Amino acid sequence: MTDKIRLMIVSGVREQGKDMFAVQVNDEIFVLDAGLKYPDSSLFGIDVVIPDLDFFAEYGDRVAGIFLTHGHADSIGALPYILRQYDIPVFGSQLTIELAKIEVQRENKTRKNGLFHVIDAETEIDFRNASVSFFHTTHSIPDSLGIDIHTPAGEIVYTGDFKFDPTASEHYRTDMDRLAEIEQKGVLALLADSSNAEAAFPNAAEQDVADYVTNVFRNTPGRIIVAAKGSNLNRVQEVLDAAKATGRKVLLTGRDLAKIVRTAMKLGYLEVADGLLMRVKDLKTTPKEKTVILETGRMGEPLQSLEKMANNRHSMINIEKGDLVFIATTPSHAVETMVAQVSDMVYRAGGTVIQLGLNVHTSGHATGRDLQLLVSTLKPKFLIPVIGEYRLMEVHKELAIRAGMKRENVIITKNGDCLEYDAKKKRFYLTSPVPGEDIMIDGSGVGDVGNIVLRDREVLSDDGIFIAVVTIDRKKKKIVAEPQVTSRGFVYIKANRQLMKDAIEVIKQAIQNNFEHKKFDWTELKQDVRNDLEKFLYKQTNRRPVVLPVVMEVNQNRHRIQQKNEAKKEQNQGQNSKPANKKQTKKPNRPNRGRKVGSRRPVSKKGHTGKNVKKQVAKKTQKQTDNE
């Protein structure tokens, strides 16, 4: 029997972030990473985007586990939403699992700790149809791992986010010997990071980056505000070391950063000198030239927090004259515009900006040379570029061809593609797709915001909304009250009174035409009003606002009340016409208990009958009974 081997691209190609891939070997599926991505400006109001959860609805009973490469949001961010519905084992290094637990607990207060399993680079897990092992990789967070799935047809290797840096410290160093061992087994397919494939220059050694950060701190006379991703522990360590070397104290802002730092310190991945960290209340007493504020923002994204600081809207810190904002993370292409805008705001507030990425070429992702070195080391039969936008995947493909791979063996995919291996022909071919759509998270809603809602939000942001309210009497087929119109974000009403008057006439005509030529239907009536208004407003203004017609009917409540009264009358008539032989029971007359008819019982201030009054009534009633 031929083994069935499939590569499922759920998400993470032709985009930046939201990494999730799967390898199927017969009836077992191994999921590689489960990340999220942060939305760009086109996704109005969306908080984050995650992979298609329909994948687990369709294949969940065959998923053997989710295997994590590292602790960044693009690798672990979708776990809270997956584990909310499905009990699937999760495997990762010690730090990765601890960060995953923090991520899950933030969204789900009751997390399922029994699903998390800690592994390391020496671990090998045997399943029915395959075995899974791991190897150390270099990234901006310690204990990052690559994943190797041993199948009957050969090794399938997934790098996750990685780069090569021979000078990296122990917790960040790639295990080149392990890569050589995997190559000896024969690599069938390599899924490799494409995020930094365009980089023409090699990444600077992390020791050089640390020296640069220290020099910036030493040459800054005032307060320093460092903007960095909280999960970039390598950069956090360099900031802490630079502060210690220059005699400064560090304030950590945000709960997320504090949790991450405490977790990394507890596990020994972060070294913090005694007395280096300070509290918010210490800001007033600590000199500015001795202060470093490490800002990561909500969910590890610092730019929005910097914007609030520059506009005096931050809860704790405002940017003042003489402050240095040190952007210590190389921004992705998607947020470069936002970085420029925030930098402008900082300068307006009196501060200055230094971007690490403009002065030192550093990234947590492999350059073109690194990718070619990886191909030369593993010698895969097939390469599937992942984790990167389309142009980066194409660059990755050309780099691999120059490194000796055949063009037809480098496969560019899209989200939802499923590649099945034909052992006889020794090639991959496309088969039935897997769920690969985006799931958008807006507040507590998961997937309830789709393209239609986003299109409405886009229209609202561009041309605003136009609301028309009209009351009709459908029986008499006439408009009872003059239609009322208003708008928001469309036109200035006071300067466009004639437009509003003309719009009212359009509404009247649309309703009258509907009465005369169509059988009454609420949906059709509203649609007629909407269509006529949209045409009229576009003709007059060349704008397409969202038109919201509100049509009400007069006397609806009166008709309902009449129906209820008639129903009650019929019910009473039915009760009065009972059989005559039925015994009529008469309630006995109750004694007056000493009170006149219509008199009121005294009430205390608290609203209850007073004790003294109760006693007096009881005595009076007893006397009447004795006399009788």
Side-chain angles (χ1 to χ4, degrees), residues 398-409:
E398 294 301 322
L399 289 168
I401 293 169
R402 290 180 203 167
M405 289 200 68
K406 296 179 181 180
R407 183 174 293 275
E408 61 270 19
N409 289 353

Side-chain angles (χ1 to χ4, degrees), residues 183-234:
E183 185 271 330
Q184 292 296 318
K185 298 177 183 178
V187 177
L188 173 64
L190 170 64
L191 284 71
D193 177 11
S194 308
S195 301
N196 198 30
E198 284 181 321
F201 301 101
N203 285 318
E206 286 301 329
Q207 185 57 52
D208 295 337
V209 176
D211 293 341
Y212 176 79
V213 174
T214 303
N215 288 334
V216 169
F217 279 32
R218 185 171 287 118
N219 295 319
T220 301
R223 187 171 64 170
I224 300 174
I225 300 172
V226 179
K229 288 186 177 181
S231 56
N232 189 341
L233 288 176
N234 198 16

Side-chain angles (χ1 to χ4, degrees), residues 349-367:
T352 56
V353 178
I354 293 179
Q355 290 187 48
L356 175 65
L358 295 180
N359 299 287
V360 179
H361 189 275
T362 177
S363 172
H365 301 271
T367 63

Side-chain angles (χ1 to χ4, degrees), residues 261-273:
V261 168
R262 282 199 301 267
T263 301
M265 289 173 61
K266 181 177 68 176
L267 298 177
Y269 294 111
L270 203 61
E271 296 180 3
V272 182

